[in-house]
């Protein structure tokens, strides 16, 4: 931006110029251009002052702009450091959890152990096995695939919405659970047992038992 000729300015205009000046990237005209000498001499010195200004660096950020950029850089650097620290914490937490799952034995203060106690073979002895109740299919000695007409048995292994119950609810062995699921899918596919609710015969008994 070329220097302007001196004009009469109010105090407010001078204050605005003093505030905006640090953010300008062009060289300012020397004060000698506007002070001293006649109007003709000031116009004659205009070109010489511009040539001297061209030799100076073109981009000279002010102090306020420099401080603002430094604050932004410091903020970005702190954000990157915090993110890296958080990712490192999550990575260490995952590794710790993986090792903890491989060590089912819970050590307490005062326990004495040998290196052999930390081996996978020894740790396998401390794994908790799920306690399974007696398998009803094995207890009755029946074949689930042959009981497709027993609606009360099917109701026991299905939910009120017609879905097959999980083995956590049925307490069946994996082999018997697969057989029961196959039997339920067969009767629902043949249309013998509803797939969205219980059988009408099962709904009829509690309904009429009220009256």
């Amino acid at each position: 931006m070329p220097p302007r000729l001196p004009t009469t300015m109010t105090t407010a205009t001078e204050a605005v110029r003093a505030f905006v000046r640090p953010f300008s990237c062009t060289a300012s005209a020397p004060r000698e251009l506007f002070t001293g000498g006649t109007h003709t001499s000031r116009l004659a010195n205009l070109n010489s002052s511009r040539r001297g200004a061209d030799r100076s660096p073109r981009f000279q950020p002010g102090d306020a702009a420099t401080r603002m950029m430094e604050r932004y850089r410091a903020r970005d650097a702190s954000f990157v450091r915090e993110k890296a620290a958080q990712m490192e914490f999550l990575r260490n937490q995952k590794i710790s959890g993986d090792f903890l799952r491989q060590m089912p034995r819970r050590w307490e203060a005062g326990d004495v152990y040998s290196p052999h106690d930390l081996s996978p073979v020894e740790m396998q002895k401390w794994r908790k096995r799920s306690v399974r109740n007696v398998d009803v299919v094995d207890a009755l000695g029946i074949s689930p695939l042959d009981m497709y007409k027993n609606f009360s048995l099917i109701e026991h292994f299905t939910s009120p919405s017609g879905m097959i119950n999980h083995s956590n609810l049925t307490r069946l062995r994996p082999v018997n659970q697969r057989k029961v699921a196959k039997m339920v899918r067969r009767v629902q596919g043949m249309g013998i047992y509803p797939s969205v609710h219980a059988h009408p015969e099962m709904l009829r008994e509690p309904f009429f038992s009220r009256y």
Side-chain angles (χ1 to χ4, degrees), residues 33 38-51:
L33 181 64
T38 61
H39 183 68
T40 305
S41 62
R42 290 198 297 268
L43 290 177
N45 295 332
L46 180 61
N47 291 333
S48 61
S49 63
R50 292 186 61 182
R51 285 195 297 270

Side-chain angles (χ1 to χ4, degrees), residues 12-23:
T13 307
E14 290 288 348
V16 172
R17 174 175 293 182
F19 175 76
V20 176
R21 183 62 222 170
F23 297 94

Side-chain angles (χ1 to χ4, degrees), residues 134-144 153 157 170-173 176-177 179-180:
V134 179
D135 194 325
V136 64
V137 175
D138 293 340
L140 297 177
I142 59 177
S143 176
L153 182 66
F157 294 117
T170 59
R171 300 295 182 181
L172 298 178
R173 295 189 297 115
N176 293 333
Q177 177 70 19
K179 290 180 180 179
V180 169

Side-chain angles (χ1 to χ4, degrees), residues 135-167:
D135 194 325
V136 64
V137 175
D138 293 340
L140 297 177
I142 59 177
S143 176
L145 297 177
D146 298 336
M147 305 299 294
Y148 64 94
K149 292 183 180 180
N150 191 342
F151 299 142
S152 60
L153 182 66
I154 298 175
E155 183 188 19
H156 179 73
F157 294 117
T158 56
S159 63
S161 59
M163 299 179 63
I164 303 172
N165 291 331
H166 195 267
S167 59

